Structure formats: C-alpha cells, structure tokens
Amino acid sequence: MSRAFVKEDTGEGLEDLPDRPVSEHRNLVTATGLAAIEAEVERLNLAYAEAQTSADRAALQKVARDLRYWSQRQQSAEVMPVPTGTDAVQFGSSVTLLRSDGRRVTYRIVGEDEADPARGTISYVSPLARALIGKAHGDSVRMGATDAEIERIVSPLPTTLAD
C-alpha cells in the first residue's frame, strides 16, 4: 500500500502554544493564594501524566504551557504577612467602601492570581487597590466616575488554614 493512503498522527498541524504572559509585578500572595497555586500545580501535574498516557498531543501542549506558568508563579510567590492593624489599608486588608450613591462594597486586597472582583477580591496592582493602600478610615478614594469613602478596614484573623 502506498504511504500516501496511510493516515498517521505526526502531530503536524499543531502549533506550539505561546507561553502565558507573566506579570512584571512582584508575585505577592496571601497564604490562601499560595495554597491555591500549589493545588493548581498538583492538578496540572496529574493532567500532564494523563495526557502523556493517552498520547494526546494537544492536551500535552496546553497542560505543559499552564504548568510552566503556574510553576513559575509558585517559585516566585512571596507570601505576605497577615495585616495586624486596621489603621491603614494594606495588602490583605478587607475594606468596606461607601459609594456616593449610598451602596456599600467590600473588597479584600490580594495577589494578582487570586483576584476576583465579582467575589470581593482585587489585585494589589489594580487602580482601586493602589488608591486604597495607605489610606485610613474616613478617607475618600476615586472609584470609577465617583468617590467612595472608606467606612471600615478589617484585617483577617491569622489561622493555620487560611489567612
């Protein structure tokens, strides 16, 4: 039989996936954030082994790319201490803001990889977090098109399981 009629999976047609961009900022994390990174690296190691077993080249490329990213983030992680005071906003603080329209919102300032504004966490490099850090109760910050007043600053209680 002519080789022209044999279909072989040579991997051709698969392009190398570009690496995920890594932030230029320091990789500050909470203890919970580091635990999440470690869990993701563990999950990806298992997924990589599974992709190798099944010889799924596309999955191998995707998982390898993600594993490179999260391994780098794990190595560069700098766990920040839990804030001890509530006099000023700092990394790890939860801040309740009273917006000019009367709505209250609360955000916790965390690392870039653990930020999820819809769940109440914002990255320490976000414009709002930058405006908040160092501010005290009663201070105002720009929040979008309006101002908001810092109504409350809370530091999480340190525990062995979470920060």
Side-chain angles (χ1 to χ4, degrees):
M1 177 186 280
S2 168
R3 298 291 300 160
F5 296 106
V6 177
K7 182 178 179 182
E8 289 185 35
D9 182 12
T10 62
E12 292 178 27
L14 286 178
E15 295 181 25
D16 286 335
L17 295 174
D19 280 340
R20 291 178 60 175
V22 175
S23 173
E24 63 197 37
H25 302 284
R26 289 174 58 197
N27 187 15
L28 306 182
V29 297
T30 64
T32 302
L34 179 59
I37 291 171
E38 290 169 342
E40 185 64 4
V41 168
E42 187 175 322
R43 184 190 71 76
L44 289 167
N45 277 322
L46 292 172
Y48 189 82
E50 191 175 298
Q52 279 184 313
T53 301
S54 65
D56 184 343
R57 285 186 41 104
L60 269 173
Q61 285 186 344
K62 181 183 181 314
V63 172
R65 177 195 59 183
D66 290 346
L67 188 56
R68 283 190 304 274
Y69 173 83
W70 287 109
S71 294
Q72 188 281 334
R73 297 303 278 173
Q74 182 179 23
Q75 290 172 358
S76 66
E78 298 176 44
V79 178
M80 297 299 290
V82 174
T84 56
T86 58
D87 294 338
V89 178
Q90 51 192 310
F91 186 97
S93 295
S94 290
V95 184
T96 300
L97 301 165
L98 178 59
R99 298 177 63 144
S100 59
D101 63 6
R103 291 184 294 158
R104 283 181 176 79
V105 292
T106 301
Y107 292 111
R108 181 164 182 229
I109 301 173
V110 297
E112 291 178 279
D113 293 317
E114 51 191 319
D116 184 353
R119 294 190 174 185
T121 56
I122 58 173
S123 167
Y124 81 100
V125 297
S126 70
L128 179 57
R130 287 182 184 192
L132 288 168
I133 291 176
K135 300 282 186 179
H137 178 271
D139 287 347
S140 290
V141 295
R142 195 80 178 149
M143 189 171 181
T146 62
D147 288 332
E149 180 182 328
I150 298 174
E151 191 173 70
R152 185 172 184 214
I153 303 169
V154 177
S155 294
L157 295 174
T159 67
T160 55
L161 298 176
D163 47 44

